[in-house]
Amino acid sequence: MGVREVIVPLASGAASAIGFLAAPASFETVRSEAFVIGDDLDLGKLNGLLQGVEAQSWHHLRLTGRNEAETTVTRTADMRLAGQMNEISVAIPNGNLSVESVQEIREEFVRVYEQKFHAVPPSAVIEALSWRVLVSGPAPQIGMRPHDGALIADNALKGARSLYFGDKFVEANVYDRYALKPGDRVMGPAVIEEREATTVVPPLDSVVVDDDFNLKLQIAELGTAVAS
Protein backbone atom coordinates (compact mmCIF):
# COMPACT_ATOMS: atom_id res chain seq x y z
CA MET A 1 0.00 0.00 0.00
CA GLY A 2 2.99 2.29 0.17
CA VAL A 3 2.43 3.27 3.81
CA ARG A 4 5.47 5.13 5.13
CA GLU A 5 4.28 5.94 8.64
CA VAL A 6 2.17 4.16 11.27
CA ILE A 7 0.86 6.06 14.31
CA VAL A 8 0.24 4.16 17.54
CA PRO A 9 -1.67 6.33 20.07
CA LEU A 10 -1.31 5.99 23.79
CA ALA A 11 -3.47 3.17 25.26
CA SER A 12 -4.41 2.00 21.75
CA GLY A 13 -5.57 -1.36 23.09
CA ALA A 14 -8.18 0.38 25.24
CA ALA A 15 -9.43 2.95 22.71
CA SER A 16 -13.00 1.60 22.68
CA ALA A 17 -13.22 1.74 26.48
CA ILE A 18 -11.82 5.28 26.54
CA GLY A 19 -14.32 6.33 23.89
CA PHE A 20 -17.16 4.90 25.97
CA LEU A 21 -16.05 6.93 28.98
CA ALA A 22 -15.57 10.11 26.94
CA ALA A 23 -18.87 9.93 25.05
CA PRO A 24 -21.79 11.99 26.39
CA ALA A 25 -24.94 10.20 27.54
CA SER A 26 -27.33 10.35 24.58
CA PHE A 27 -30.43 8.70 23.18
CA GLU A 28 -31.68 8.68 19.60
CA THR A 29 -35.25 7.83 18.71
CA VAL A 30 -36.35 7.20 15.13
CA ARG A 31 -39.84 6.98 13.67
CA SER A 32 -40.65 6.04 10.10
CA GLU A 33 -43.37 7.92 8.24
CA ALA A 34 -43.09 9.15 4.68
CA PHE A 35 -43.61 12.83 3.83
CA VAL A 36 -43.10 14.58 0.51
CA ILE A 37 -41.09 17.74 1.15
CA GLY A 38 -43.17 20.19 -0.84
CA ASP A 39 -45.66 23.04 -0.62
CA ASP A 40 -48.47 20.76 0.55
CA LEU A 41 -46.49 19.22 3.41
CA ASP A 42 -48.77 18.73 6.44
CA LEU A 43 -46.77 20.74 8.97
CA GLY A 44 -49.18 20.09 11.82
CA LYS A 45 -48.85 16.32 11.42
CA LEU A 46 -45.08 16.45 11.01
CA ASN A 47 -44.56 18.75 14.01
CA GLY A 48 -46.66 16.41 16.12
CA LEU A 49 -44.56 13.44 15.01
CA LEU A 50 -41.28 15.23 15.81
CA GLN A 51 -42.53 16.35 19.21
CA GLY A 52 -43.44 12.76 20.07
CA VAL A 53 -40.05 11.44 18.94
CA GLU A 54 -38.23 14.15 20.91
CA ALA A 55 -40.30 13.48 24.03
CA GLN A 56 -39.36 9.80 23.87
CA SER A 57 -35.64 10.65 23.67
CA TRP A 58 -35.99 13.12 26.55
CA HIS A 59 -37.68 10.48 28.69
CA HIS A 60 -34.68 8.16 28.43
CA LEU A 61 -32.10 10.89 28.94
CA ARG A 62 -33.79 12.19 32.09
CA LEU A 63 -33.36 8.74 33.63
CA THR A 64 -29.59 9.41 33.59
CA GLY A 65 -30.08 12.51 35.77
CA ARG A 66 -29.63 15.09 33.00
CA ASN A 67 -31.83 18.17 32.69
CA GLU A 68 -32.78 20.14 29.61
CA ALA A 69 -30.48 23.08 30.43
CA GLU A 70 -27.35 20.97 29.89
CA THR A 71 -28.42 19.02 26.81
CA THR A 72 -28.53 19.47 23.05
CA VAL A 73 -31.07 18.28 20.50
CA THR A 74 -30.13 17.21 16.98
CA ARG A 75 -32.74 16.37 14.36
CA THR A 76 -32.12 14.54 11.10
CA ALA A 77 -34.23 12.88 8.44
CA ASP A 78 -33.48 9.96 6.11
CA MET A 79 -34.33 11.42 2.71
CA ARG A 80 -34.17 10.51 -0.94
CA LEU A 81 -35.43 11.39 -4.39
CA ALA A 82 -38.73 9.61 -5.01
CA GLY A 83 -38.10 6.27 -6.67
CA GLN A 84 -34.56 5.81 -5.42
CA MET A 85 -33.59 2.98 -3.05
CA ASN A 86 -31.01 4.68 -0.82
CA GLU A 87 -31.51 7.55 1.64
CA ILE A 88 -29.14 10.23 2.89
CA SER A 89 -29.11 11.88 6.30
CA VAL A 90 -30.17 15.52 6.26
CA ALA A 91 -30.19 18.00 9.17
CA ILE A 92 -33.62 19.27 10.22
CA PRO A 93 -34.22 22.55 12.14
CA ASN A 94 -35.23 22.30 15.79
CA GLY A 95 -38.52 23.67 17.11
CA ASN A 96 -41.80 23.93 15.24
CA LEU A 97 -41.31 23.68 11.50
CA SER A 98 -42.77 26.43 9.33
CA VAL A 99 -43.21 27.07 5.61
CA GLU A 100 -39.73 28.62 5.66
CA SER A 101 -38.40 25.46 7.32
CA VAL A 102 -39.63 23.34 4.43
CA GLN A 103 -37.52 25.39 2.03
CA GLU A 104 -34.52 25.07 4.38
CA ILE A 105 -34.94 21.29 4.42
CA ARG A 106 -35.13 21.14 0.62
CA GLU A 107 -32.01 23.29 0.28
CA GLU A 108 -30.09 21.18 2.80
CA PHE A 109 -31.10 17.99 0.99
CA VAL A 110 -29.88 19.41 -2.33
CA ARG A 111 -26.58 20.46 -0.75
CA VAL A 112 -25.91 17.03 0.81
CA TYR A 113 -27.15 15.13 -2.24
CA GLU A 114 -24.97 17.07 -4.67
CA GLN A 115 -21.92 16.49 -2.47
CA LYS A 116 -22.49 12.74 -2.70
CA PHE A 117 -23.96 12.27 -6.16
CA HIS A 118 -24.97 14.82 -8.80
CA ALA A 119 -27.31 17.75 -9.36
CA VAL A 120 -30.94 17.46 -8.28
CA PRO A 121 -33.39 18.17 -11.13
CA PRO A 122 -35.62 21.18 -10.32
CA SER A 123 -38.75 19.06 -10.81
CA ALA A 124 -37.54 16.15 -8.65
CA VAL A 125 -39.81 14.93 -5.85
CA ILE A 126 -38.00 14.86 -2.51
CA GLU A 127 -39.31 12.65 0.25
CA ALA A 128 -38.35 11.89 3.84
CA LEU A 129 -38.93 8.37 5.14
CA SER A 130 -37.63 8.41 8.73
CA TRP A 131 -37.22 11.12 11.36
CA ARG A 132 -34.54 10.99 14.05
CA VAL A 133 -34.08 13.02 17.22
CA LEU A 134 -30.82 12.71 19.17
CA VAL A 135 -30.77 14.20 22.68
CA SER A 136 -27.28 14.44 24.23
CA GLY A 137 -25.94 15.46 27.61
CA PRO A 138 -22.62 17.22 28.19
CA ALA A 139 -19.40 15.36 27.47
CA PRO A 140 -17.65 14.03 30.60
CA GLN A 141 -14.62 16.05 31.66
CA ILE A 142 -11.87 13.46 31.40
CA GLY A 143 -8.32 13.64 30.12
CA MET A 144 -5.39 11.41 29.35
CA ARG A 145 -1.82 11.97 30.26
CA PRO A 146 1.13 9.58 30.24
CA HIS A 147 2.79 8.46 33.42
CA ASP A 148 5.84 10.34 34.57
CA GLY A 149 8.61 8.07 33.32
CA ALA A 150 10.75 8.87 36.34
CA LEU A 151 8.19 7.12 38.53
CA ILE A 152 8.50 3.90 36.54
CA ALA A 153 12.05 3.59 35.34
CA ASP A 154 15.22 5.63 35.22
CA ASN A 155 15.77 4.37 31.68
CA ALA A 156 13.22 3.40 29.05
CA LEU A 157 15.42 0.47 27.98
CA LYS A 158 14.23 -2.59 29.92
CA GLY A 159 16.40 -5.27 28.34
CA ALA A 160 16.64 -7.33 25.16
CA ARG A 161 15.28 -10.53 23.65
CA SER A 162 15.43 -12.46 20.39
CA LEU A 163 12.78 -11.86 17.75
CA TYR A 164 12.26 -13.72 14.49
CA PHE A 165 12.17 -11.52 11.39
CA GLY A 166 12.14 -12.92 7.86
CA ASP A 167 14.38 -15.96 8.07
CA LYS A 168 16.38 -15.48 11.25
CA PHE A 169 16.38 -14.43 14.90
CA VAL A 170 17.77 -11.02 15.77
CA GLU A 171 18.48 -9.36 19.11
CA ALA A 172 15.93 -6.62 19.82
CA ASN A 173 15.89 -4.03 22.58
CA VAL A 174 12.80 -3.90 24.78
CA TYR A 175 11.49 -0.48 25.91
CA ASP A 176 9.00 0.71 28.52
CA ARG A 177 6.60 3.00 26.68
CA TYR A 178 5.70 4.90 29.84
CA ALA A 179 9.32 5.98 30.23
CA LEU A 180 9.59 7.33 26.69
CA LYS A 181 9.28 11.08 26.28
CA PRO A 182 8.53 13.41 23.33
CA GLY A 183 11.48 13.50 20.97
CA ASP A 184 12.83 10.07 21.94
CA ARG A 185 13.80 7.84 19.02
CA VAL A 186 13.87 4.04 19.04
CA MET A 187 15.66 2.15 16.28
CA GLY A 188 14.53 -1.30 15.16
CA PRO A 189 14.62 -4.11 15.79
CA ALA A 190 12.82 -3.28 19.03
CA VAL A 191 9.77 -3.97 21.17
CA ILE A 192 7.87 -1.22 22.99
CA GLU A 193 5.71 -2.56 25.80
CA GLU A 194 2.72 -1.01 27.55
CA ARG A 195 -0.17 -2.46 29.52
CA GLU A 196 -2.70 -2.48 26.67
CA ALA A 197 -0.53 -3.20 23.64
CA THR A 198 2.89 -4.18 22.31
CA THR A 199 4.47 -2.41 19.35
CA VAL A 200 7.06 -4.34 17.33
CA VAL A 201 9.60 -2.26 15.38
CA PRO A 202 11.17 -4.29 12.54
CA PRO A 203 14.83 -3.97 11.59
CA LEU A 204 15.67 -0.73 9.73
CA ASP A 205 12.41 0.89 10.89
CA SER A 206 12.35 3.49 13.66
CA VAL A 207 9.94 5.13 16.09
CA VAL A 208 9.76 8.77 17.18
CA VAL A 209 7.63 9.90 20.14
CA ASP A 210 5.66 13.05 19.26
CA ASP A 211 4.44 15.81 21.59
CA ASP A 212 1.19 13.90 22.31
CA PHE A 213 3.15 10.75 23.23
CA ASN A 214 2.05 8.96 20.04
CA LEU A 215 4.52 6.46 18.60
CA LYS A 216 5.24 7.44 14.99
CA LEU A 217 6.71 4.37 13.32
CA GLN A 218 8.73 5.21 10.20
CA ILE A 219 8.67 2.40 7.62
CA ALA A 220 12.07 2.02 5.96
CA GLU A 221 11.30 -0.98 3.74
CA LEU A 222 7.90 -1.29 2.11
CA GLY A 223 6.43 -4.74 2.60
CA THR A 224 7.82 -5.20 6.10
CA ALA A 225 5.11 -6.50 8.42
CA VAL A 226 4.27 -4.52 11.56
CA ALA A 227 2.43 -6.06 14.51
CA SER A 228 1.03 -4.08 17.38
Side-chain angles (χ1 to χ4, degrees), residues 58 96 128 178 191 199:
W58 274 119
N96 273 336
Y178 304 112
V191 176
T199 301

Side-chain angles (χ1 to χ4, degrees), residues 80-94:
R80 68 182 185 185
L81 295 179
Q84 291 188 333
M85 296 295 294
N86 299 318
E87 300 91 41
I88 59 175
S89 179
V90 177
I92 302 298
N94 289 335

Side-chain angles (χ1 to χ4, degrees), residues 116-145:
K116 293 178 176 290
F117 305 109
H118 50 76
V120 176
S123 60
V125 176
I126 300 172
E127 57 186 8
L129 303 184
S130 298
W131 306 85
R132 302 174 183 271
V133 179
L134 174 68
V135 180
S136 304
Q141 298 300 310
I142 68 171
M144 287 183 61
R145 65 177 181 82

Side-chain angles (χ1 to χ4, degrees), residues 167-203:
D167 58 355
K168 63 181 179 180
F169 282 94
V170 295
E171 195 75 0
N173 288 330
V174 180
Y175 293 88
D176 182 346
R177 177 164 186 174
Y178 304 112
L180 293 172
K181 297 178 175 60
D184 285 350
R185 179 179 292 273
V186 172
M187 300 302 299
V191 176
I192 302 175
E193 296 179 337
E194 57 183 309
R195 284 188 297 270
E196 301 90 0
T198 299
T199 301
V200 177
V201 186

